[in-house]
Amino acid sequence: MKIFDKDISGAIFDLDGTILDSSWVWLKVDADFLAENGIEVTDDYTRAVHQMHFNEAALYTKTRYGLPQSVEQIKDRWIEMVELEYAHNIKLKDGAYAFIVKLIKSGVRVAFATTLFKKVAIPCLINNKLSKEFLGMDCPLTTADEVERGKGCPDIYLLAASKIDVEPNCCMVFEDIPLAIQGAQKGGFEFCGVYDLSSNGNSNFADMCRYYIKSFKDLL
């Protein structure tokens, strides 16, 4: 299938801020978690952790604020705070479901790659009908706990591509964070930036991307 001017046989989708309208949840978790520890959230903290691997964000938070909790305890609390929202309340961005279905019907293999953990991501995918039961095809999920490095490195995309048996140069990554451009390019992938107000709305992200969309409806 041709997307823009590129023939692809695989597509890898990030979740938060890319196909999921979910950025509000992490902003809420940032504020609520720090408030529990007597700390007021700041814009620079939010910008910093949004670009990070989950493990990196927890370590950064602990170090920055000198928290008594371990990194594992911080991660467990974050997961606890978002599980309910992801399982029931977070929805897809406009056009995302229709575009993914269009890809699958055209023979494109689809995978998901996220910094979320499986216990958060899987219920959200099921609730939004992005599971084999609804799509008729297994679209494998690759999560943060399967790789050592963050999305500035190609690891998570390479693993996701291997699960759908598609070479990187035949695969397009859809992402909302500027850092992900580096990881995708290092892995030899095509890259399409996706607008999200929280993660890239105040940056020159569009200018950094060869391919860029404001909405998945642009591709339907």
Side-chain angles (χ1 to χ4, degrees):
M1 177 178 174
K2 189 178 288 292
I3 299 180
F4 301 105
D5 59 352
K6 178 69 177 179
D7 285 314
I8 68 164
S9 51
I12 299 172
F13 293 90
D14 168 58
L15 298 185
D16 277 331
T18 299
I19 63 170
L20 295 180
D21 185 13
S22 58
S23 296
W24 60 271
V25 172
W26 287 105
L27 294 173
K28 185 175 186 299
V29 168
D30 287 345
D32 290 351
F33 177 79
L34 292 181
E36 287 180 351
N37 290 274
I39 301 165
E40 185 175 350
V41 70
T42 59
D43 290 342
D44 67 304
Y45 169 81
T46 301
R47 286 193 300 270
V49 295
H50 195 90
Q51 299 279 341
M52 294 178 184
H53 186 288
F54 196 70
N55 295 334
E56 294 170 336
L59 177 59
Y60 172 80
T61 302
K62 175 177 174 59
T63 303
R64 173 167 173 164
Y65 296 112
L67 298 178
Q69 301 97 316
S70 69
V71 170
E72 289 302 317
Q73 287 172 326
I74 293 171
K75 292 191 296 184
D76 287 345
R77 180 59 181 141
W78 283 348
I79 291 171
E80 181 182 10
M81 294 171 79
V82 301
E83 277 182 326
L84 184 64
E85 298 292 348
Y86 274 84
H88 300 286
N89 299 327
I90 290 177
K91 303 303 180 186
L92 297 174
K93 289 186 172 182
D94 288 347
Y97 187 82
F99 178 61
I100 290 170
V101 169
K102 178 181 178 181
L103 291 177
I104 291 172
K105 288 183 176 180
S106 299
V108 175
R109 298 298 309 275
V110 171
F112 303 109
T114 178
T115 53
L116 296 172
F117 286 99
K118 284 185 171 67
K119 65 185 298 185
V120 175
I122 290 175
C124 186
L125 291 173
I126 293 172
N127 189 52
N128 284 287
K129 300 183 178 180
L130 291 177
S131 60
K132 185 176 182 179
E133 174 186 0
F134 297 104
L135 296 176
M137 174 187 288
D138 182 28
C139 298
L141 173 69
T142 301
T143 56
D145 54 338
E146 296 179 67
V147 296
E148 292 295 326
R149 300 185 295 178
K151 287 190 170 181
C153 300
D155 307 30
I156 195 168
Y157 306 118
L158 291 170
L159 181 55
S162 72
K163 292 181 181 181
I164 54 175
D165 196 26
V166 177
E167 292 298 319
N169 65 333
C170 297
C171 198
M172 183 168 287
V173 171
F174 292 85
E175 272 277 8
D176 68 307
I177 59 172
L179 181 67
I181 298 174
Q182 300 174 26
Q185 289 180 339
K186 289 175 185 175
F189 294 88
E190 293 291 341
F191 184 90
C192 178
V194 180
Y195 171 79
D196 185 75
L197 178 61
S198 176
S199 59
N200 64 61
N202 296 313
S203 72
N204 63 338
F205 186 49
D207 296 332
M208 299 164 62
C209 302
R210 180 181 178 190
Y211 305 117
Y212 176 83
I213 56 172
K214 292 280 288 186
S215 166
F216 285 100
K217 293 189 292 185
D218 299 342
L219 298 175
L220 293 174

